[in-house]
Amino acid sequence: MENEIASFSGKALTREKETSSFEDDLAAPFMELVGQRVREARSRKNISRKALSDISGVSQRYLAQLETGSGNISIVLLRRVADALDYKIEWLVGEEDPYHSEILPILSLLQQSTKEQRNRVLEILDPDHPAIKRSRRIAFIGLRGAGKSTLGRMSADKIGVPFLELNEEIEQASGMPVNEVIALYGQEGYRRLEKQSVERIAVTHDSIVLAVAGGIVSEPETFNYLLRHYHTIWLKADPDDHMSRVRGQGDERPMAGNPEAMDELKSILMSREALYARAEMTVNTSGRDVEQALSNILAVMRECGLIEK
């Protein structure tokens, strides 16, 4: 038994040494690259190592080790060195050398470009990019009572594209009301039809405003497809507004016989908030009347290049 334990420990130690040696082999060229970048940057600024030490607060000994590629400097200290050299830290550790790269100047220009210019570049470099695939398809997401139907229809009228409720498309495809679909096929059957409808609309429409059910974000495959093929707008609202708007439509079911309905609504909203936040755009409709909310929606559409400014 003792021999087996000793043998096992010996093998584990050997593997640990091999792993450590492998990591050292990878680290050495990287540290040499960082050291070279620091030396070159210091040379271009024409400052001594002592001056760099005084400015950055990093000791000369540490800087010497860094520049020779033998110092395992912390990221915090390296940030100080970069700041002292008036460098971006990524210039010291990235694959692209800022003084010889053809990519970094283009990236800088791209960061200063307009949305329209970036889209034109995308069309050339990546014709299959989601921003191109989305065309002018817009999907409103959010909990019930956020205003998806009302504001979606008004937005569609303003920008001159069709409006569609996803549930209406599901009903047309299935030949029965949504509640009957759920009763007959269950949530799984409904979600399957929901996914098929989202995909079918994307194939048949280049321009459309679509209002989807609030629970679509809970289906990863469907939601990811929606994010990739539609411009998404999260209509965000406070729980009280969600509830009051639903009741204002004459639907008392959320509160009927359920005194904990508000707590449940808050819990649902909290659990989905991070998912809704993945939308390309967010518009808060709380504390705003319909016209104000519509104005905000049109504003974010302009910012994203969906309508002319």
Side-chain angles (χ1 to χ4, degrees):
M1 184 63 176
E2 291 180 357
N3 289 338
E4 291 178 356
I5 293 174
S7 175
F8 178 79
S9 299
K11 291 178 180 178
L13 184 60
T14 299
R15 285 196 298 270
E16 185 176 337
K17 288 181 178 178
E18 290 175 350
T19 301
S20 177
S21 176
F22 177 71
E23 290 176 348
D24 288 343
D25 290 342
L26 291 177
F30 175 71
M31 292 307 301
E32 290 174 5
L33 173 66
V34 174
Q36 178 185 343
R37 295 268 177 88
V38 172
R39 287 197 311 274
E40 291 176 351
R42 183 167 61 80
S43 176
R44 288 189 182 98
K45 288 186 72 71
N46 194 27
I47 61 174
S48 66
R49 189 178 292 159
K50 181 181 185 304
L52 179 57
S53 175
D54 291 340
I55 298 171
S56 66
V58 178
S59 72
Q60 291 187 61
R61 181 180 64 83
Y62 224 150
L63 289 174
Q65 292 177 342
L66 175 63
E67 291 188 3
T68 56
S70 59
N72 188 13
I73 192 169
S74 74
I75 192 69
V76 174
L77 294 182
L78 187 60
R79 178 63 180 267
R80 288 191 201 169
V81 172
D83 289 343
L85 292 169
D86 196 24
Y87 245 53
K88 295 180 178 179
I89 192 170
E90 57 265 32
W91 291 357
L92 296 178
V93 299
E95 292 184 5
E96 296 289 331
D97 183 332
Y99 284 92
H100 301 97
S101 171
E102 295 180 349
I103 302 298
L104 292 179
I106 295 174
L107 178 59
S108 178
L109 291 173
L110 195 61
Q111 290 172 335
Q112 301 172 43
S113 65
T114 64
K115 179 75 174 181
E116 181 183 354
Q117 290 170 330
R118 288 195 293 272
N119 282 339
R120 283 158 56 191
V121 171
L122 279 174
E123 288 177 9
I124 297 171
L125 300 180
D126 188 5
D128 290 329
H129 191 277
I132 308 303
K133 284 188 172 184
R134 293 179 188 129
S135 191
R136 288 187 77 200
R137 290 185 293 273
I138 302 166
F140 283 81
I141 67 174
L143 279 184
R144 189 178 177 202
K148 292 173 294 185
S149 298
T150 300
L151 292 169
R153 185 173 283 102
M154 294 174 70
S155 299
D157 288 343
K158 284 287 186 181
I159 64 178
V161 302
F163 171 77
L164 183 62
E165 291 266 9
L166 184 59
N167 275 346
E168 292 179 0
E169 177 71 12
I170 293 172
E171 290 178 347
Q172 184 173 349
S174 64
M176 65 183 76
V178 165
N179 59 351
E180 291 185 17
V181 171
I182 296 174
L184 188 60
Y185 300 109
Q187 281 289 338
E188 183 178 349
Y190 169 78
R191 293 303 178 194
R192 184 169 58 252
L193 287 170
E194 181 180 57
K195 181 176 183 295
Q196 292 171 357
S197 296
V198 167
E199 293 174 348
R200 183 168 56 253
I201 293 166
V203 171
T204 56
H205 293 79
D206 286 333
S207 299
I208 195 167
V209 172
L210 181 69
V212 304
I216 198 170
V217 298
S218 301
E219 297 298 315
E221 191 174 347
T222 308
F223 187 41
N224 286 332
Y225 184 92
L226 189 79
L227 291 172
R228 186 168 180 83
H229 293 82
Y230 295 75
H231 297 279
T232 47
I233 302 177
W234 174 25
L235 294 186
K236 185 178 181 179
D238 297 333
D240 289 338
D241 285 325
H242 279 291
M243 188 65 75
S244 64
R245 290 169 185 171
V246 171
R247 297 182 71 183
Q249 296 167 5
D251 189 349
E252 296 291 336
R253 289 174 298 171
M255 299 297 290
N258 186 7
E260 298 179 352
M262 179 58 75
D263 289 337
E264 291 177 3
L265 187 148
K266 290 179 180 178
S267 177
I268 293 172
L269 185 58
M270 184 178 299
S271 67
R272 293 179 181 173
E273 191 164 18
L275 296 172
Y276 288 139
R278 293 178 61 194
E280 186 179 356
M281 297 160 271
T282 299
V283 174
N284 194 328
T285 62
S286 285
R288 296 166 176 81
D289 60 28
V290 173
E291 291 300 328
Q292 290 173 326
L294 176 61
S295 177
N296 291 343
I297 289 169
L298 296 176
V300 298
M301 285 183 179
R302 290 189 190 94
E303 289 175 6
C304 288
L306 294 177
I307 55 178
E308 294 183 1
K309 295 185 178 181

